[in-house]
Amino acid sequence: MNKGLIDLKRASTPPANPLVTAETLPEPEAPAQAAEVANLNQEEAPSLAVVTEIQPVPAPQVERVSTIGARIPETLHQNIKLFCIGNRIEMQHFVQEALSLHLERLQESQKA
């Protein structure tokens, strides 16, 4: 294999770090030691909180997305693109927000 090419089979696994081995990693503290440290910190600074237990973090709820295709005038596309670049937002987020707001307004006008 040529050295300039990437081996796709190995590309998904990161290379091993020869500087980090099981012997060089620090051992984790026992929960009893962490609790003692927490008590000391609370006496010195009551506003500080020390986590003594590992608590799972809930995964963010990700809504599925789908792709739509729309034909719009080239000038409108350019104006949206320039606006998004100038305001440092992704075009996808701009379009999502614009469609959501427009749909809300249409639904409100139908109720009235």
Side-chain angles (χ1 to χ4, degrees):
M1 176 181 245
N2 189 353
K3 288 187 176 185
L5 299 177
I6 297 173
D7 186 1
L8 294 178
K9 292 179 182 176
R10 294 185 192 167
S12 62
T13 57
N17 186 347
L19 302 176
V20 178
T21 61
E23 295 82 28
T24 60
L25 293 175
E27 292 187 25
E29 291 184 21
Q33 293 172 343
E36 291 173 10
V37 171
N39 290 338
L40 291 174
N41 285 340
Q42 288 174 356
E43 291 173 5
E44 293 174 8
S47 62
L48 281 176
V50 177
V51 177
T52 57
E53 295 179 9
I54 297 175
Q55 298 175 352
V57 176
Q61 297 296 325
V62 178
E63 188 174 352
R64 293 179 58 184
V65 294
S66 61
T67 303
I68 62 170
R71 297 192 184 278
I72 60 173
E74 185 66 28
T75 55
L76 177 60
H77 182 266
Q78 289 175 351
N79 288 337
I80 293 170
K81 190 171 189 175
L82 289 173
F83 178 83
C84 292
I85 291 170
N87 291 289
R88 295 182 178 183
I89 58 173
E90 291 184 11
M91 198 173 207
Q92 174 181 337
H93 294 253
F94 175 83
V95 172
Q96 286 175 350
E97 187 68 24
L99 289 174
S100 296
L101 289 173
H102 187 67
L103 182 60
E104 286 176 14
R105 289 179 185 157
L106 288 175
Q107 290 173 340
E108 288 175 3
S109 67
Q110 286 180 351
K111 289 180 184 177

